Amino acid sequence: MSQPFHSRAIVLSRENFGEADQYVQFLTQNWGVITVLARSARKSKRRYVGGLDIFCHDDIFLRGDPRERPYLNELSVLNSFPNLRNDLEKMLAAGRAVQWIRRLADMATPMPSVYSLLGQTLAVIEKEPNPDRLELLGLLFKLKLLSSLGLKPRLEACVRCGETESREILFDITGGGAVCRKCSPRELSSLGEVLSEDDRHFLIAGDQLKLTHWDQFEFSREKSSALSRLITQFASYHTHQRLPV
Ligand SMILES: [Zn+2]
């Protein structure tokens, strides 16, 4: 008998297979995103102790190579985020985060920073009492995820001339980042969006903010949601994925 493979993991999705089984997609700490077969998952809820619901944070033990659809031997639940499940806005916010990971990071490659990001994000959503702040959290999550995957927009300097001093810049979605006034033909405002200095700095530094200091961050819901839309358009354009806003 081979020793079971073990990792911490977060449930991203699951689907029924055959009469009684389920395929479960996990973001794991050790192997990236993998799919495992949970035998009898639909018949015996007790065996997996409620740990197969989306967002559950588990310790999982596998039989077989993690990259080749192994069996789920057993699991124990670290956190099932009960307060998140009782709240529709929180469920939607958590669902969007999971969709971003499924669309952009569906790879059986170790991505410890992506794993930590999702775990932390779910924990913050679970605790956050103010639904208005979920928009800001969503924006930070997206910036951090794009940064982890090397997909961050280039906003430090104009993507065309390299100018860093310009105060007036446009976020050129198709061009991949900032374009200064000098380089923008008159019609560019139809292609991109003018960014204030505040917004630009937020987008440049947002991925460095630590979620452990989440309580100290402030940014209006309005601004967060406008920037979040912009980042979603940017990421969708460059990855050819339909991403939820
Ligand atoms: Zn320029």
Side-chain angles (χ1 to χ4, degrees), residues 100-133:
W100 271 64
I101 287 184
R102 294 185 67 200
R103 302 261 157 87
L104 299 185
D106 184 5
M107 300 171 276
T109 315
M111 297 175 282
S113 62
V114 174
Y115 162 81
S116 309
L117 173 62
L118 183 60
Q120 280 191 315
T121 301
L122 294 174
V124 170
I125 292 175
E126 155 110 340
K127 277 191 232 133
E128 178 54 53
N130 178 1
D132 281 348
R133 280 171 58 78

Side-chain angles (χ1 to χ4, degrees), residues 1-202:
M1 288 288 281
S2 62
Q3 204 53 26
F5 293 92
H6 165 241
S7 180
R8 294 193 160 191
I10 300 166
V11 178
L12 299 182
S13 71
R14 58 177 170 165
E15 69 182 67
N16 292 337
F17 178 72
E19 289 287 297
D21 304 343
Q22 283 183 329
Y23 276 117
V24 185
Q25 189 185 37
F26 284 104
L27 169 60
T28 65
Q29 187 173 33
N30 296 349
W31 316 296
V33 174
I34 61 164
T35 298
V36 310
L37 185 61
R39 300 295 290 273
S40 304
R42 287 151 72 194
K43 282 190 177 155
S44 162
K45 297 251 184 274
R46 220 178 317 154
R47 176 164 177 199
Y48 303 107
V49 290
L52 297 183
D53 290 334
I54 185 168
F55 314 132
C56 273
H57 194 186
D58 302 323
D59 253 329
I60 61 172
F61 298 85
L62 308 179
R63 188 153 48 85
D65 186 326
R67 283 154 304 179
E68 289 168 16
R69 302 217 159 195
Y71 292 108
L72 180 59
N73 249 359
E74 62 176 297
L75 66 77
S76 58
V77 179
L78 298 166
N79 194 343
S80 63
F81 301 111
N83 291 330
L84 187 160
R85 283 168 211 287
N86 294 331
D87 182 315
L88 181 61
E89 287 215 50
K90 291 185 175 192
M91 282 290 278
L92 292 173
R96 285 191 290 270
V98 161
Q99 284 308 316
W100 271 64
I101 287 184
R102 294 185 67 200
R103 302 261 157 87
L104 299 185
D106 184 5
M107 300 171 276
T109 315
M111 297 175 282
S113 62
V114 174
Y115 162 81
S116 309
L117 173 62
L118 183 60
Q120 280 191 315
T121 301
L122 294 174
V124 170
I125 292 175
E126 155 110 340
K127 277 191 232 133
E128 178 54 53
N130 178 1
D132 281 348
R133 280 171 58 78
L134 294 176
E135 199 78 53
L136 172 58
L137 182 61
L139 173 60
L140 290 176
F141 170 83
K142 291 172 189 177
L143 291 175
K144 285 169 170 291
L145 180 64
L146 292 177
S147 176
S148 284
L149 300 172
L151 296 169
K152 202 183 159 184
R154 289 169 294 152
L155 294 167
E156 289 83 354
C158 171
V159 294
R160 298 193 189 164
C161 70
E163 157 87 82
T164 56
E165 299 306 311
S166 178
R167 295 183 146 223
E168 216 183 354
I169 66 133
L170 296 157
F171 190 150
D172 178 1
I173 287 173
T174 57
V179 173
C180 76
R181 177 57 75 190
K182 259 191 318 201
C183 294
S184 26
R186 220 177 293 146
E187 70 273 22
L188 195 70
S189 55
S190 63
L191 296 174
E193 227 163 295
V194 180
L195 281 187
S196 73
E197 280 204 86
D198 268 6
D199 291 355
R200 182 187 181 186
H201 284 134
F202 190 89

